[in-house]
Amino acid sequence: MKILNGIKHCSMPSNNLSMASISLVYKLSIGAMGEMSWPSDKLIIQVPDDSTNPEIGDMVEFECEKWLEKGVNIKYERRENRNGYKAGALCEGLEKQYVKDCEFVAIFDADFQPEPDYLWRTIPFLLHNPDLALVQARWKFVNANECLMTRLQEMSLDYHFSVEQEVGSFTYSFFGFNGTAGVWRIQALMDAGGWKDRTTVEDMDLAVRASLKGWKFVFVGDLSVKNELPSTYKAYRYQQHRWSCGPANLFRKMSKEILCCEKVSFWKKFHVLYAFFFVRKIVAHWVTFFFYCIIIPACVLIQEVQLPKYIAIYIPSVITILNSICTPRSIHLLVFWILFENVMSLHRTKAAIIGLLEAGRVNEWVVTEKLGNTLKNRSGVASTSTSTSDSTSTNARMRPQRRPRLKFIERIHVMELIMGVFLLYCAIYDVFLGRDYFFFYLFLQSAAFFVMGFGYMGTFAPSN
């Protein structure tokens, strides 16, 4: 039994990031792969690189050669193009001759750092259950304390893993592959048709097709893989566009295929189409944006429309509090989380519409910037570094500073500012002519739109 491990999508980061930041990201990740505990003759580490910057490619290749000299079976594969983006890189990786003897493939993005015992805690599930296609681990964020935005992201993703993934696995219903920190049975991957680049969510696409073939998944909630959250607002916006647009577009393309599938029950089809896609990936964004940012302000302007308090306050408050329990250390940030998620619902709603209509940006793929701040270790998580002590201290000194260096005009986000002005007007109107006291919420929400509209959210990536 051979395992292909560490298929890493080493795409070109933004030009705003220094080489020291990029160096930190791939060194930590490749180092974590090299230190994995598994028989060396049964493990192949593959590093596909489709970066368009030759300097970055040379650095990644040099790092791989260092581990090769240590006796690690590591393969560096440089692509000449970026066709298919991540799906294209993964597909080409599986076509290599040395992969033919492998039974399983563990997939990690370029900023992920699995623990040495990762394979020992995942492969047994696949060995003992031949119907199992995927073992998915959860994510652990090494830079969650970097700024307020990363803390709020942690709250959202903790809910995703603790509720959506955990419940989906426990009830034997469908849950999606997260694109990284998972181990696939190659036979199941091929049986489902392999990687496809028809959307920007190739991971979800594969998981749905494998599920329709009758394969099963398991989520291991007590196994975490360290990784980094995007800490710049620009990077987070691009990421959320891809994560919201892709599922909506996949829903459009796979609805008929799911309905016509004969291998799964009617209830599973209903769960995938209605609960997983329609409600969670489309309607949830629309309801959040239109209720909090359109309906409540409209009720202020149109006095004849009365919004019952249990709909406007009580029910949303209970749901939000229950969701935030997954991250108890951040419960005091609940109000900020609500305001932040309402602002992001604007972009998620727009992205979902683009995906459904297959409009201009439907296949837009912008690599999520990661600043490589894992050595700072603010979250109390010990980072795994494979470089020498001298290079580690040098990289620490070269870590990106959080001082703003972007021009003011480059930080402006017009859509957020327009919404901020609208909500501010509604708040002032409610102060003088209203009677529902919604202006308390409207002032806070408009402030959130202005803060993010002027780009004062997250950290700032320095220029080279």
Side-chain angles (χ1 to χ4, degrees), residues 44-337:
I44 303 173
I45 300 175
Q46 185 189 72
V47 184
D49 177 14
D50 63 359
S51 61
T52 55
N53 187 326
E55 187 176 355
I56 296 175
D58 291 341
M59 290 192 301
V60 175
E61 184 175 12
F62 178 72
E63 186 68 18
C64 292
E65 290 174 353
K66 286 168 56 178
W67 282 96
L68 186 63
E69 293 174 357
K70 296 178 182 179
V72 176
N73 188 4
I74 186 168
K75 309 286 185 180
Y76 172 77
E77 303 290 350
R78 181 176 298 189
R79 298 179 73 204
E80 299 301 326
N81 56 69
R82 297 196 66 207
N83 295 339
Y85 300 109
K86 183 176 180 177
L90 294 171
C91 186
E92 286 190 21
L94 290 179
E95 293 174 353
K96 302 301 179 182
Q97 186 61 36
Y98 55 81
V99 179
K100 304 302 180 183
D101 296 330
C102 297
E103 295 182 42
F104 309 109
V105 53
I107 302 172
F108 301 95
D109 281 348
D111 61 305
F112 276 68
Q113 307 163 47
E115 297 295 335
D117 64 346
Y118 175 86
L119 295 176
W120 292 108
R121 298 178 63 182
T122 53
I123 296 299
F125 288 98
L126 296 162
L127 292 177
H128 292 132
N129 187 350
D131 295 328
L132 199 62
L134 167 68
V135 179
Q136 175 70 60
R138 68 180 299 143
W139 301 353
K140 188 172 186 177
F141 313 108
V142 298
N143 68 328
N145 292 334
E146 183 68 22
C147 60
L148 177 61
M149 192 180 79
T150 52
R151 286 289 294 271
L152 301 179
Q153 289 180 68
E154 181 189 38
M155 295 178 70
S156 300
L157 289 171
D158 278 350
Y159 168 79
H160 166 70
F161 286 110
S162 300
V163 177
E164 295 177 347
Q165 300 294 75
E166 192 80 55
V167 172
S169 176
F170 182 77
T171 59
Y172 301 100
S173 58
F174 174 77
F175 70 90
F177 172 45
N178 292 118
T180 178
V183 183
W184 276 90
R185 188 186 303 273
I186 294 181
Q187 177 190 350
L189 196 154
M190 295 304 182
D191 183 47
W195 299 101
K196 294 186 178 181
D197 61 359
R198 55 182 173 177
T199 69
T200 57
V201 283
E202 72 297 320
D203 45 10
M204 186 181 297
D205 189 344
L206 175 62
V208 173
R209 287 184 280 113
S211 181
L212 295 180
K213 289 287 185 177
W215 290 97
K216 297 178 173 60
F217 310 148
V218 66
F219 174 73
V220 186
D222 60 350
L223 176 60
S224 301
V225 179
K226 293 182 291 185
N227 73 298
E228 188 176 344
L229 292 164
S231 58
T232 66
Y233 182 51
K234 177 182 177 182
Y236 186 64
R237 279 185 57 179
Y238 279 126
Q239 181 197 69
Q240 292 304 297
H241 173 86
R242 188 172 74 248
W243 285 7
S244 302
C245 179
N249 189 233
L250 186 63
F251 173 71
R252 171 190 172 118
K253 292 182 175 179
M254 288 202 68
S255 294
K256 183 178 180 181
E257 182 179 345
I258 295 171
L259 287 172
C260 296
C261 180
E262 298 179 354
K263 288 189 176 182
V264 297
S265 66
F266 167 80
W267 292 111
K268 188 164 188 176
K269 295 178 186 178
F270 178 80
H271 170 75
V272 173
L273 283 174
Y274 178 75
F276 181 78
F277 274 115
F278 185 67
V279 173
R280 283 165 49 187
K281 305 301 180 183
I282 299 174
V283 172
H285 306 321
W286 295 1
V287 169
T288 300
F289 173 68
F290 285 108
F291 179 75
Y292 286 106
C293 303
I294 301 296
I295 294 178
I296 290 180
C299 290
V300 170
L301 299 178
I302 305 174
Q303 296 291 316
E304 292 76 13
V305 178
Q306 294 293 317
L307 192 62
K309 289 185 178 180
Y310 72 90
I311 294 179
I313 302 174
Y314 302 142
I315 294 179
S317 297
V318 171
I319 294 175
T320 304
I321 292 172
L322 290 175
N323 291 348
S324 66
I325 291 177
C326 299
T327 314
R329 80 184 189 98
S330 298
I331 194 72
H332 61 289
L333 300 176
L334 183 61
V335 173
F336 295 101
W337 186 42

Side-chain angles (χ1 to χ4, degrees), residues 358-379:
E358 289 198 325
R361 295 178 59 195
V362 66
N363 291 318
E364 179 185 70
W365 184 287
V366 179
V367 178
T368 305
E369 296 176 354
K370 302 295 177 67
L371 300 184
N373 285 336
T374 48
L375 287 180
K376 191 171 185 179
N377 196 19
R378 285 189 175 184
S379 62

Side-chain angles (χ1 to χ4, degrees), residues 39 71 148 154 172 183 194 213 235 254 262 282 316 334 386 390 406 424 432 435 438 443 445 450 455:
L148 177 61
E154 181 189 38
Y172 301 100
V183 183
K213 289 287 185 177
M254 288 202 68
E262 298 179 354
I282 299 174
L334 183 61
T386 60
D390 289 341
L406 296 175
L424 179 61
F432 293 101
R435 56 181 180 275
F438 282 139
F443 275 126
Q445 191 63 68
F450 281 126

